Amino acid sequence: MQDTVHISMDQLQVGLYIYLDLKWFDQPFTFSNFKIKSEEQIKIIRSLGLRTVRCNPTLSSVEVPPDKPQAAPAAPAAPGLAPNVSPALVAKRAMIERIKLQREATAQVEKAFAGTASALRDIDKNLLSKPVESVRQAGELVQQIADSILGEPELAIQVMGDNPGGEELYLHSLNVTVLSMMMARDIKLPAQVLGALGMGALFHDIGHKKIPSAILLSMAPLSTAERHLYQMHVLYGGEVGKLLQLPPSVLAIIREHHELSDGSGYPAGLQGEAIGLLSRIVAIANHYDELCNPVNINDALTPHEALSQMFAKQRSKFDAKLLQVFIRCLGVYPPGTIVQLSNGVLGMVTTINTIKPMKPMIMVYDADVPKEEAILIDMEHETEINIAKAIRPAHVAREVYNYLSPRKRVSYYFGAGKPGQEAAAR
């Protein structure tokens, strides 16, 4: 923290950047450190029972008074005094209520996510032994997801918390399905096409069943022969899909999800619109998730880095308009990104509203607040702060990372765009 000086209550003035040495729930402001904007704020600060506050000269826009010796704080103001009628306290109470609603909505979404992952596990387990039943269950699951996504006035994409269900092996297909449906909603893909998109996304890697686990789970770079064998999974997937009697539109996605717009993909080296629209959608979602969740987790990019790489270095590989849709929906800082706010506070993007992706929900690190009660800041309601930059997990202190990080692998699910609306995936 930058050097601070202590000033008394009578030295407070608009333009000073101060730190309130109080717990978050004991003061009415969004943050404990901020620049004073009004005489009303000064009045509220003086009512908090403090004798001095710390002030940062560098961040202040007016001259800071001389340092005064730190005094012990006075007794906190009794409930019902001046802060009770202040706009700041009213706003803080509203914020606490929003956090409560958001936490309840998050719990609903994580429950739905765990249920969907468990259902997907059963489908995968029984796919070859009970093909007709498994395909029927997959179709019902996809329809449920599609109905939920299309039925929400606003759609929120949310990063999952600690191991809600533990179905790590099935999360890639689920991530690709959710992200593909997100794009389909944005471009207003007809409802009758969503079923094929969802089934193709869910089964896009079905050919993995014919690839040795030693190759699928290899931490080391694959040899040329191993890479060629791995690439056969798209053709094997088409064969398995035919045995399952999947429709041609779904088979096309399975065959083409590794085709790239510049012709550098496989198996056929298709270019541009020679690749089906649904396949182009799944290709973007699949590649993004592979960057975030590689076999060797040490090679993982953060969500922010993955989007940046796809846009800056790999743009020619994807449908340009669909890539713009993908980035627009997830925002510059997708869920799971650790960020620093303009006031220096660290947090993690937990939820984005696809209509307003630049105003995400952020879980804030505060050592004085237990993780399960973590402060959630809705950037839509904040006018004084913004996201300054993304930060790699390795660049934050271990205790901060453990507090903020949701899980080793980034997993997404969806819910209503506004807390209080019915959660998705009923």
Side-chain angles (χ1 to χ4, degrees), residues 23-47:
K23 292 185 177 181
W24 188 78
F25 291 100
D26 293 336
Q27 52 86 13
F29 301 100
T30 301
F31 293 99
S32 296
N33 53 298
F34 56 93
K35 183 184 289 187
I36 299 175
K37 297 290 185 180
S38 66
E39 292 296 331
E40 176 65 21
Q41 287 183 335
I42 292 176
K43 179 181 176 182
I44 296 169
I45 295 166
R46 286 173 175 163
S47 73

PDB file of all heavy atoms in Angstrom, residues 23-47:
ATOM      1  N   LYS A  23     -14.440  -2.675   9.250  1.00  0.00           N
ATOM      2  CA  LYS A  23     -14.868  -3.805   8.452  1.00  0.00           C
ATOM      3  C   LYS A  23     -15.957  -3.361   7.483  1.00  0.00           C
ATOM      4  O   LYS A  23     -16.693  -2.396   7.738  1.00  0.00           O
ATOM      5  CB  LYS A  23     -15.365  -4.939   9.345  1.00  0.00           C
ATOM      6  CG  LYS A  23     -14.237  -5.588  10.162  1.00  0.00           C
ATOM      7  CD  LYS A  23     -14.740  -6.789  10.937  1.00  0.00           C
ATOM      8  CE  LYS A  23     -13.583  -7.461  11.680  1.00  0.00           C
ATOM      9  NZ  LYS A  23     -14.037  -8.655  12.440  1.00  0.00           N
ATOM     10  N   TRP A  24     -16.070  -4.100   6.378  1.00  0.00           N
ATOM     11  CA  TRP A  24     -16.970  -3.702   5.290  1.00  0.00           C
ATOM     12  C   TRP A  24     -18.404  -3.532   5.770  1.00  0.00           C
ATOM     13  O   TRP A  24     -19.087  -2.595   5.379  1.00  0.00           O
ATOM     14  CB  TRP A  24     -16.898  -4.757   4.182  1.00  0.00           C
ATOM     15  CG  TRP A  24     -17.632  -4.378   2.940  1.00  0.00           C
ATOM     16  CD1 TRP A  24     -17.212  -3.501   1.971  1.00  0.00           C
ATOM     17  CD2 TRP A  24     -18.913  -4.846   2.515  1.00  0.00           C
ATOM     18  NE1 TRP A  24     -18.163  -3.404   0.971  1.00  0.00           N
ATOM     19  CE2 TRP A  24     -19.216  -4.223   1.272  1.00  0.00           C
ATOM     20  CE3 TRP A  24     -19.841  -5.733   3.056  1.00  0.00           C
ATOM     21  CZ2 TRP A  24     -20.392  -4.459   0.576  1.00  0.00           C
ATOM     22  CZ3 TRP A  24     -21.019  -5.979   2.357  1.00  0.00           C
ATOM     23  CH2 TRP A  24     -21.283  -5.344   1.132  1.00  0.00           C
ATOM     24  N   PHE A  25     -18.859  -4.413   6.640  1.00  0.00           N
ATOM     25  CA  PHE A  25     -20.244  -4.354   7.101  1.00  0.00           C
ATOM     26  C   PHE A  25     -20.474  -3.249   8.135  1.00  0.00           C
ATOM     27  O   PHE A  25     -21.609  -2.964   8.509  1.00  0.00           O
ATOM     28  CB  PHE A  25     -20.667  -5.698   7.697  1.00  0.00           C
ATOM     29  CG  PHE A  25     -20.790  -6.787   6.675  1.00  0.00           C
ATOM     30  CD1 PHE A  25     -19.776  -7.710   6.512  1.00  0.00           C
ATOM     31  CD2 PHE A  25     -21.911  -6.874   5.864  1.00  0.00           C
ATOM     32  CE1 PHE A  25     -19.882  -8.719   5.557  1.00  0.00           C
ATOM     33  CE2 PHE A  25     -22.031  -7.873   4.911  1.00  0.00           C
ATOM     34  CZ  PHE A  25     -21.015  -8.800   4.753  1.00  0.00           C
ATOM     35  N   ASP A  26     -19.384  -2.614   8.614  1.00  0.00           N
ATOM     36  CA  ASP A  26     -19.507  -1.578   9.640  1.00  0.00           C
ATOM     37  C   ASP A  26     -19.492  -0.171   9.066  1.00  0.00           C
ATOM     38  O   ASP A  26     -19.464   0.802   9.817  1.00  0.00           O
ATOM     39  CB  ASP A  26     -18.378  -1.722  10.673  1.00  0.00           C
ATOM     40  CG  ASP A  26     -18.515  -2.990  11.495  1.00  0.00           C
ATOM     41  OD1 ASP A  26     -19.649  -3.493  11.610  1.00  0.00           O
ATOM     42  OD2 ASP A  26     -17.484  -3.479  12.009  1.00  0.00           O
ATOM     43  N   GLN A  27     -19.469  -0.051   7.746  1.00  0.00           N
ATOM     44  CA  GLN A  27     -19.497   1.285   7.134  1.00  0.00           C
ATOM     45  C   GLN A  27     -20.392   1.239   5.898  1.00  0.00           C
ATOM     46  O   GLN A  27     -20.569   0.194   5.282  1.00  0.00           O
ATOM     47  CB  GLN A  27     -18.071   1.762   6.798  1.00  0.00           C
ATOM     48  CG  GLN A  27     -17.229   0.798   5.987  1.00  0.00           C
ATOM     49  CD  GLN A  27     -17.461   0.948   4.490  1.00  0.00           C
ATOM     50  OE1 GLN A  27     -18.061   1.921   4.058  1.00  0.00           O
ATOM     51  NE2 GLN A  27     -17.003  -0.010   3.725  1.00  0.00           N
ATOM     52  N   PRO A  28     -20.986   2.386   5.530  1.00  0.00           N
ATOM     53  CA  PRO A  28     -22.039   2.368   4.513  1.00  0.00           C
ATOM     54  C   PRO A  28     -21.580   2.468   3.064  1.00  0.00           C
ATOM     55  O   PRO A  28     -22.409   2.452   2.160  1.00  0.00           O
ATOM     56  CB  PRO A  28     -22.875   3.597   4.886  1.00  0.00           C
ATOM     57  CG  PRO A  28     -21.880   4.548   5.436  1.00  0.00           C
ATOM     58  CD  PRO A  28     -20.882   3.702   6.185  1.00  0.00           C
ATOM     59  N   PHE A  29     -20.262   2.571   2.826  1.00  0.00           N
ATOM     60  CA  PHE A  29     -19.782   2.779   1.463  1.00  0.00           C
ATOM     61  C   PHE A  29     -19.491   1.442   0.778  1.00  0.00           C
ATOM     62  O   PHE A  29     -19.269   0.422   1.426  1.00  0.00           O
ATOM     63  CB  PHE A  29     -18.534   3.662   1.476  1.00  0.00           C
ATOM     64  CG  PHE A  29     -18.769   5.012   2.103  1.00  0.00           C
ATOM     65  CD1 PHE A  29     -18.374   5.258   3.411  1.00  0.00           C
ATOM     66  CD2 PHE A  29     -19.409   6.025   1.397  1.00  0.00           C
ATOM     67  CE1 PHE A  29     -18.598   6.486   4.010  1.00  0.00           C
ATOM     68  CE2 PHE A  29     -19.642   7.266   1.987  1.00  0.00           C
ATOM     69  CZ  PHE A  29     -19.235   7.492   3.299  1.00  0.00           C
ATOM     70  N   THR A  30     -19.445   1.467  -0.553  1.00  0.00           N
ATOM     71  CA  THR A  30     -19.160   0.242  -1.311  1.00  0.00           C
ATOM     72  C   THR A  30     -17.782  -0.299  -0.975  1.00  0.00           C
ATOM     73  O   THR A  30     -17.592  -1.507  -0.815  1.00  0.00           O
ATOM     74  CB  THR A  30     -19.243   0.521  -2.827  1.00  0.00           C
ATOM     75  OG1 THR A  30     -20.554   1.001  -3.138  1.00  0.00           O
ATOM     76  CG2 THR A  30     -18.970  -0.743  -3.627  1.00  0.00           C
ATOM     77  N   PHE A  31     -16.798   0.590  -0.885  1.00  0.00           N
ATOM     78  CA  PHE A  31     -15.432   0.202  -0.546  1.00  0.00           C
ATOM     79  C   PHE A  31     -14.959   0.987   0.669  1.00  0.00           C
ATOM     80  O   PHE A  31     -15.487   2.054   0.983  1.00  0.00           O
ATOM     81  CB  PHE A  31     -14.483   0.467  -1.722  1.00  0.00           C
ATOM     82  CG  PHE A  31     -14.753  -0.399  -2.916  1.00  0.00           C
ATOM     83  CD1 PHE A  31     -15.493   0.087  -3.986  1.00  0.00           C
ATOM     84  CD2 PHE A  31     -14.298  -1.708  -2.966  1.00  0.00           C
ATOM     85  CE1 PHE A  31     -15.750  -0.709  -5.086  1.00  0.00           C
ATOM     86  CE2 PHE A  31     -14.552  -2.517  -4.067  1.00  0.00           C
ATOM     87  CZ  PHE A  31     -15.286  -2.018  -5.118  1.00  0.00           C
ATOM     88  N   SER A  32     -13.934   0.461   1.331  1.00  0.00           N
ATOM     89  CA  SER A  32     -13.375   1.133   2.502  1.00  0.00           C
ATOM     90  C   SER A  32     -12.339   2.177   2.121  1.00  0.00           C
ATOM     91  O   SER A  32     -11.870   2.917   2.970  1.00  0.00           O
ATOM     92  CB  SER A  32     -12.745   0.091   3.448  1.00  0.00           C
ATOM     93  OG  SER A  32     -13.740  -0.779   3.947  1.00  0.00           O
ATOM     94  N   ASN A  33     -11.950   2.227   0.853  1.00  0.00           N
ATOM     95  CA  ASN A  33     -11.014   3.258   0.394  1.00  0.00           C
ATOM     96  C   ASN A  33     -11.588   3.907  -0.863  1.00  0.00           C
ATOM     97  O   ASN A  33     -12.023   3.230  -1.791  1.00  0.00           O
ATOM     98  CB  ASN A  33      -9.623   2.684   0.128  1.00  0.00           C
ATOM     99  CG  ASN A  33      -9.633   1.497  -0.812  1.00  0.00           C
ATOM    100  OD1 ASN A  33     -10.228   0.476  -0.516  1.00  0.00           O
ATOM    101  ND2 ASN A  33      -8.952   1.630  -1.940  1.00  0.00           N
ATOM    102  N   PHE A  34     -11.607   5.249  -0.876  1.00  0.00           N
ATOM    103  CA  PHE A  34     -12.218   5.976  -1.982  1.00  0.00           C
ATOM    104  C   PHE A  34     -11.872   7.454  -1.871  1.00  0.00           C
ATOM    105  O   PHE A  34     -11.405   7.932  -0.827  1.00  0.00           O
ATOM    106  CB  PHE A  34     -13.742   5.808  -1.974  1.00  0.00           C
ATOM    107  CG  PHE A  34     -14.395   6.231  -0.670  1.00  0.00           C
ATOM    108  CD1 PHE A  34     -14.873   7.527  -0.501  1.00  0.00           C
ATOM    109  CD2 PHE A  34     -14.512   5.334   0.388  1.00  0.00           C
ATOM    110  CE1 PHE A  34     -15.454   7.921   0.701  1.00  0.00           C
ATOM    111  CE2 PHE A  34     -15.107   5.716   1.586  1.00  0.00           C
ATOM    112  CZ  PHE A  34     -15.578   7.015   1.744  1.00  0.00           C
ATOM    113  N   LYS A  35     -12.106   8.179  -2.956  1.00  0.00           N
ATOM    114  CA  LYS A  35     -11.915   9.626  -2.950  1.00  0.00           C
ATOM    115  C   LYS A  35     -13.229  10.291  -2.524  1.00  0.00           C
ATOM    116  O   LYS A  35     -14.295   9.967  -3.046  1.00  0.00           O
ATOM    117  CB  LYS A  35     -11.501  10.125  -4.337  1.00  0.00           C
ATOM    118  CG  LYS A  35     -11.204  11.639  -4.374  1.00  0.00           C
ATOM    119  CD  LYS A  35     -10.895  12.107  -5.779  1.00  0.00           C
ATOM    120  CE  LYS A  35      -9.540  11.604  -6.236  1.00  0.00           C
ATOM    121  NZ  LYS A  35      -9.164  12.213  -7.556  1.00  0.00           N
ATOM    122  N   ILE A  36     -13.151  11.209  -1.587  1.00  0.00           N
ATOM    123  CA  ILE A  36     -14.344  11.917  -1.106  1.00  0.00           C
ATOM    124  C   ILE A  36     -14.883  12.809  -2.215  1.00  0.00           C
ATOM    125  O   ILE A  36     -14.161  13.612  -2.808  1.00  0.00           O
ATOM    126  CB  ILE A  36     -14.010  12.764   0.135  1.00  0.00           C
ATOM    127  CG1 ILE A  36     -13.506  11.864   1.271  1.00  0.00           C
ATOM    128  CG2 ILE A  36     -15.238  13.548   0.586  1.00  0.00           C
ATOM    129  CD1 ILE A  36     -13.049  12.633   2.501  1.00  0.00           C
ATOM    130  N   LYS A  37     -16.202  12.642  -2.484  1.00  0.00           N
ATOM    131  CA  LYS A  37     -16.821  13.361  -3.597  1.00  0.00           C
ATOM    132  C   LYS A  37     -17.763  14.482  -3.154  1.00  0.00           C
ATOM    133  O   LYS A  37     -18.107  15.350  -3.956  1.00  0.00           O
ATOM    134  CB  LYS A  37     -17.620  12.371  -4.462  1.00  0.00           C
ATOM    135  CG  LYS A  37     -16.787  11.286  -5.119  1.00  0.00           C
ATOM    136  CD  LYS A  37     -15.908  11.848  -6.213  1.00  0.00           C
ATOM    137  CE  LYS A  37     -15.178  10.744  -6.943  1.00  0.00           C
ATOM    138  NZ  LYS A  37     -14.302  11.260  -8.024  1.00  0.00           N
ATOM    139  N   SER A  38     -18.195  14.462  -1.890  1.00  0.00           N
ATOM    140  CA  SER A  38     -19.215  15.442  -1.500  1.00  0.00           C
ATOM    141  C   SER A  38     -19.163  15.724  -0.006  1.00  0.00           C
ATOM    142  O   SER A  38     -18.584  14.957   0.780  1.00  0.00           O
ATOM    143  CB  SER A  38     -20.611  14.911  -1.853  1.00  0.00           C
ATOM    144  OG  SER A  38     -20.928  13.771  -1.067  1.00  0.00           O
ATOM    145  N   GLU A  39     -19.809  16.824   0.386  1.00  0.00           N
ATOM    146  CA  GLU A  39     -19.928  17.177   1.795  1.00  0.00           C
ATOM    147  C   GLU A  39     -20.789  16.148   2.524  1.00  0.00           C
ATOM    148  O   GLU A  39     -20.610  15.896   3.717  1.00  0.00           O
ATOM    149  CB  GLU A  39     -20.537  18.576   1.944  1.00  0.00           C
ATOM    150  CG  GLU A  39     -19.638  19.704   1.458  1.00  0.00           C
ATOM    151  CD  GLU A  39     -18.355  19.831   2.280  1.00  0.00           C
ATOM    152  OE1 GLU A  39     -18.382  19.485   3.493  1.00  0.00           O
ATOM    153  OE2 GLU A  39     -17.333  20.257   1.716  1.00  0.00           O
ATOM    154  N   GLU A  40     -21.741  15.544   1.800  1.00  0.00           N
ATOM    155  CA  GLU A  40     -22.590  14.513   2.407  1.00  0.00           C
ATOM    156  C   GLU A  40     -21.747  13.319   2.848  1.00  0.00           C
ATOM    157  O   GLU A  40     -21.952  12.760   3.933  1.00  0.00           O
ATOM    158  CB  GLU A  40     -23.664  14.073   1.410  1.00  0.00           C
ATOM    159  CG  GLU A  40     -24.550  12.924   1.891  1.00  0.00           C
ATOM    160  CD  GLU A  40     -25.400  13.280   3.099  1.00  0.00           C
ATOM    161  OE1 GLU A  40     -25.634  14.483   3.341  1.00  0.00           O
ATOM    162  OE2 GLU A  40     -25.825  12.354   3.812  1.00  0.00           O
ATOM    163  N   GLN A  41     -20.768  12.934   2.021  1.00  0.00           N
ATOM    164  CA  GLN A  41     -19.882  11.838   2.405  1.00  0.00           C
ATOM    165  C   GLN A  41     -19.074  12.200   3.649  1.00  0.00           C
ATOM    166  O   GLN A  41     -18.874  11.365   4.535  1.00  0.00           O
ATOM    167  CB  GLN A  41     -18.940  11.486   1.250  1.00  0.00           C
ATOM    168  CG  GLN A  41     -19.613  10.750   0.104  1.00  0.00           C
ATOM    169  CD  GLN A  41     -18.636  10.350  -0.981  1.00  0.00           C
ATOM    170  OE1 GLN A  41     -17.588  10.976  -1.148  1.00  0.00           O
ATOM    171  NE2 GLN A  41     -18.979   9.313  -1.740  1.00  0.00           N
ATOM    172  N   ILE A  42     -18.612  13.434   3.723  1.00  0.00           N
ATOM    173  CA  ILE A  42     -17.854  13.871   4.904  1.00  0.00           C
ATOM    174  C   ILE A  42     -18.717  13.754   6.153  1.00  0.00           C
ATOM    175  O   ILE A  42     -18.263  13.274   7.208  1.00  0.00           O
ATOM    176  CB  ILE A  42     -17.353  15.325   4.705  1.00  0.00           C
ATOM    177  CG1 ILE A  42     -16.291  15.363   3.605  1.00  0.00           C
ATOM    178  CG2 ILE A  42     -16.795  15.883   6.017  1.00  0.00           C
ATOM    179  CD1 ILE A  42     -15.807  16.762   3.260  1.00  0.00           C
ATOM    180  N   LYS A  43     -19.970  14.180   6.041  1.00  0.00           N
ATOM    181  CA  LYS A  43     -20.886  14.095   7.175  1.00  0.00           C
ATOM    182  C   LYS A  43     -21.042  12.648   7.635  1.00  0.00           C
ATOM    183  O   LYS A  43     -21.034  12.350   8.845  1.00  0.00           O
ATOM    184  CB  LYS A  43     -22.240  14.678   6.762  1.00  0.00           C
ATOM    185  CG  LYS A  43     -23.318  14.629   7.851  1.00  0.00           C
ATOM    186  CD  LYS A  43     -24.617  15.217   7.315  1.00  0.00           C
ATOM    187  CE  LYS A  43     -25.731  15.086   8.365  1.00  0.00           C
ATOM    188  NZ  LYS A  43     -27.019  15.608   7.839  1.00  0.00           N
ATOM    189  N   ILE A  44     -21.162  11.733   6.677  1.00  0.00           N
ATOM    190  CA  ILE A  44     -21.326  10.318   7.025  1.00  0.00           C
ATOM    191  C   ILE A  44     -20.064   9.772   7.672  1.00  0.00           C
ATOM    192  O   ILE A  44     -20.114   9.053   8.679  1.00  0.00           O
ATOM    193  CB  ILE A  44     -21.685   9.502   5.767  1.00  0.00           C
ATOM    194  CG1 ILE A  44     -23.038   9.949   5.212  1.00  0.00           C
ATOM    195  CG2 ILE A  44     -21.714   8.005   6.069  1.00  0.00           C
ATOM    196  CD1 ILE A  44     -23.340   9.397   3.840  1.00  0.00           C
ATOM    197  N   ILE A  45     -18.894  10.105   7.099  1.00  0.00           N
ATOM    198  CA  ILE A  45     -17.625   9.620   7.655  1.00  0.00           C
ATOM    199  C   ILE A  45     -17.468  10.068   9.110  1.00  0.00           C
ATOM    200  O   ILE A  45     -17.044   9.298   9.969  1.00  0.00           O
ATOM    201  CB  ILE A  45     -16.443  10.123   6.801  1.00  0.00           C
ATOM    202  CG1 ILE A  45     -16.508   9.503   5.389  1.00  0.00           C
ATOM    203  CG2 ILE A  45     -15.102   9.763   7.457  1.00  0.00           C
ATOM    204  CD1 ILE A  45     -15.603  10.174   4.383  1.00  0.00           C
ATOM    205  N   ARG A  46     -17.845  11.329   9.393  1.00  0.00           N
ATOM    206  CA  ARG A  46     -17.709  11.858  10.759  1.00  0.00           C
ATOM    207  C   ARG A  46     -18.651  11.173  11.740  1.00  0.00           C
ATOM    208  O   ARG A  46     -18.421  11.218  12.956  1.00  0.00           O
ATOM    209  CB  ARG A  46     -17.983  13.367  10.743  1.00  0.00           C
ATOM    210  CG  ARG A  46     -16.845  14.171  10.138  1.00  0.00           C
ATOM    211  CD  ARG A  46     -17.196  15.637   9.978  1.00  0.00           C
ATOM    212  NE  ARG A  46     -16.045  16.413   9.498  1.00  0.00           N
ATOM    213  CZ  ARG A  46     -16.129  17.622   8.962  1.00  0.00           C
ATOM    214  NH1 ARG A  46     -17.322  18.201   8.813  1.00  0.00           N
ATOM    215  NH2 ARG A  46     -15.045  18.251   8.555  1.00  0.00           N
ATOM    216  N   SER A  47     -19.692  10.506  11.205  1.00  0.00           N
ATOM    217  CA  SER A  47     -20.649   9.843  12.093  1.00  0.00           C
ATOM    218  C   SER A  47     -20.252   8.393  12.419  1.00  0.00           C
ATOM    219  O   SER A  47     -20.947   7.722  13.172  1.00  0.00           O
ATOM    220  CB  SER A  47     -22.032   9.845  11.445  1.00  0.00           C
ATOM    221  OG  SER A  47     -22.089   8.921  10.376  1.00  0.00           O
TER     222      SER A  47
END
